[in-house]
Amino acid sequence: MKTVKKAIIPAAGLGTRFLPVTKAMPKEMLPIVDKPTIQYIVEEAIESGIEDIIIVTGKGKRAIEDHFDHNLELEENLVKKEKFDLLDKVNYASNVDLHFIRQKEPKGLGHAVWCARKFIGDDPFAVLLGDDIVKAETPGLRQLIKQYEETESSVVGVQQVPDDETHRYGIVDPSTIEGRRYQVNDFVEKPKQGTAPSNLAIMGRYVFTPEIFSYLEKHQIGAGGEIQLTDAIQQLNELQKVYAYDFEGKRYDVGEKLGFLRTNLEFALDNPEFAEDIEKMMKDMLLEKAKL
Ligand code: G1P
């Protein structure tokens, strides 16, 4: 069995949910405390054993490439000032090979993944989306890779969401369950309110066998007029099993404004550098507001 060493990070989306900030800045560069969102995703991939990452970018995404470049002037400056902890943070991704490819038109997530097909070739691979950050003892993707190794099949990471949120996600219709792993009847992209077959939502972490590309290359248009990854998964599931795995860990939704603000606050509260000050700041703010 081939091991999972390659990952695709699609980062070509227009970021319309975050306008106007995303007019000239990629949404993947929006910071959670002091790191851009995409760096959390790259770190999870590295900690899961990934050795080669391809980031699918698009128009206006150059800042992502710059972020992962060495910045010699900055590095020299940090060495001179003996700020070695910052130097480590800045160079974190230096032990993984990063590749970039452009999606020439925004045709959807399925199309973005398809853009990386030549890089993947005949290997199994992971996909990590930047809208979800996972805080877990064992990195979310590593948990899925373990499932892939046990089943030699594709695996999609899922977690429960409330009823009124199912229409925002890919949802699975599970059949049997073994531990936290489900066999799946159907994968449905963004079901209409009240029609979701379950509350198990796809959370932006996947491991695929390369056969997924034979469905992605059909460029079938799905929900929202886009080429959907979920539709290719549904078709792959008819050829080979695709499991859903309810991974352990807390998942933060940074793909919408309120979730993004909440994630920043929670991460700041978890950070010993800010925790006390943030707590005090929040209490003061609430008191001030109550007085008005
Ligand atoms: C994408 C996927 C969806 C998945 C979601 C997770 O949707 O198409 O299946 O549940 O990411 O964040 P998007 O949020 O890009 O519309």
Side-chain angles (χ1 to χ4, degrees), residues 17 27 109 129 131-132 168-171 188-190 201-204 206 226 228-230 251 253:
R17 273 188 285 207
K27 79 166 180 185
L109 178 60
L129 308 187
D131 282 355
D132 304 289
R168 289 179 34 206
Y169 296 94
I171 300 290
V188 194
E189 181 64 14
K190 304 202 173 75
I202 301 175
M203 286 304 171
Y206 314 80
E226 297 191 338
Q228 295 290 353
L229 181 57
T230 306
R251 160 255 168 187
D253 182 0

Side-chain angles (χ1 to χ4, degrees), residues 199-263:
N199 288 55
L200 288 172
I202 301 175
M203 286 304 171
R205 298 294 182 276
Y206 314 80
V207 175
F208 293 121
T209 58
E211 282 77 18
I212 187 89
F213 287 115
S214 53
Y215 301 103
L216 288 173
E217 78 186 10
K218 290 186 190 165
H219 291 190
Q220 184 188 312
I221 307 292
E226 297 191 338
I227 299 169
Q228 295 290 353
L229 181 57
T230 306
D231 294 342
I233 300 172
Q234 164 74 359
Q235 292 167 35
L236 179 64
N237 193 32
E238 284 163 24
L239 176 81
Q240 317 170 330
K241 260 186 205 133
V242 179
Y243 290 94
Y245 185 72
D246 185 356
F247 59 89
E248 286 176 64
K250 181 155 183 194
R251 160 255 168 187
Y252 294 85
D253 182 0
V254 295
E256 52 97 31
K257 288 179 192 169
L258 196 60
F260 171 78
L261 293 170
R262 188 192 165 106
T263 309

Side-chain angles (χ1 to χ4, degrees), residues 121-139:
D122 206 21
D123 293 322
F125 64 100
V127 174
L128 300 99
L129 308 187
D131 282 355
D132 304 289
I133 292 182
V134 178
K135 210 185 242 181
E137 220 162 278
T138 306

Side-chain angles (χ1 to χ4, degrees), residues 46-202:
I46 295 172
E47 282 153 20
S48 303
I50 297 297
E51 291 172 0
D52 276 284
I53 297 175
I54 188 161
I55 302 182
V56 185
T57 66
K59 201 166 175 281
K61 301 280 185 165
R62 292 278 277 280
I64 299 178
E65 292 183 44
D66 291 345
H67 178 72
F68 289 106
D69 251 358
H70 276 289
N71 179 338
L72 294 179
E73 215 176 300
L74 172 69
E75 287 170 28
E76 275 171 23
N77 188 288
L78 293 175
V79 170
K80 234 187 257 164
K81 291 183 177 150
E82 297 187 7
K83 296 196 166 167
F84 299 112
D85 53 333
L86 270 182
L87 188 68
D88 281 351
K89 278 192 190 164
V90 162
N91 284 339
Y92 186 82
S94 53
N95 51 349
V96 69
D97 276 326
L98 286 168
H99 311 256
F100 293 89
I101 190 160
R102 285 170 83 92
Q103 182 188 28
K104 292 173 189 149
E105 296 165 79
K107 287 184 169 176
L109 178 60
H111 182 262
V113 171
W114 175 81
C115 288
R117 68 202 177 282
K118 291 182 186 159
F119 170 82
I120 299 298
D122 206 21
D123 293 322
F125 64 100
V127 174
L128 300 99
L129 308 187
D131 282 355
D132 304 289
I133 292 182
V134 178
K135 210 185 242 181
E137 220 162 278
T138 306
L141 180 61
R142 180 139 29 108
Q143 297 179 44
L144 294 193
I145 292 177
K146 187 163 174 276
Q147 296 304 311
Y148 163 80
E149 286 166 353
E150 280 177 20
T151 60
E152 297 189 31
S153 302
S154 301
V155 192
V156 171
V158 295
Q159 281 197 341
Q160 299 275 355
V161 295
D163 285 345
D164 60 351
E165 288 182 17
T166 48
H167 67 285
R168 289 179 34 206
Y169 296 94
I171 300 290
V172 307
D173 175 12
S175 56
T176 58
I177 180 169
E178 196 190 333
R180 303 179 77 98
R181 189 171 71 211
Y182 297 87
Q183 290 197 35
V184 178
N185 296 322
D186 287 307
F187 294 83
V188 194
E189 181 64 14
K190 304 202 173 75
K192 290 207 173 72
Q193 290 257 21
T195 67
S198 80
N199 288 55
L200 288 172
I202 301 175

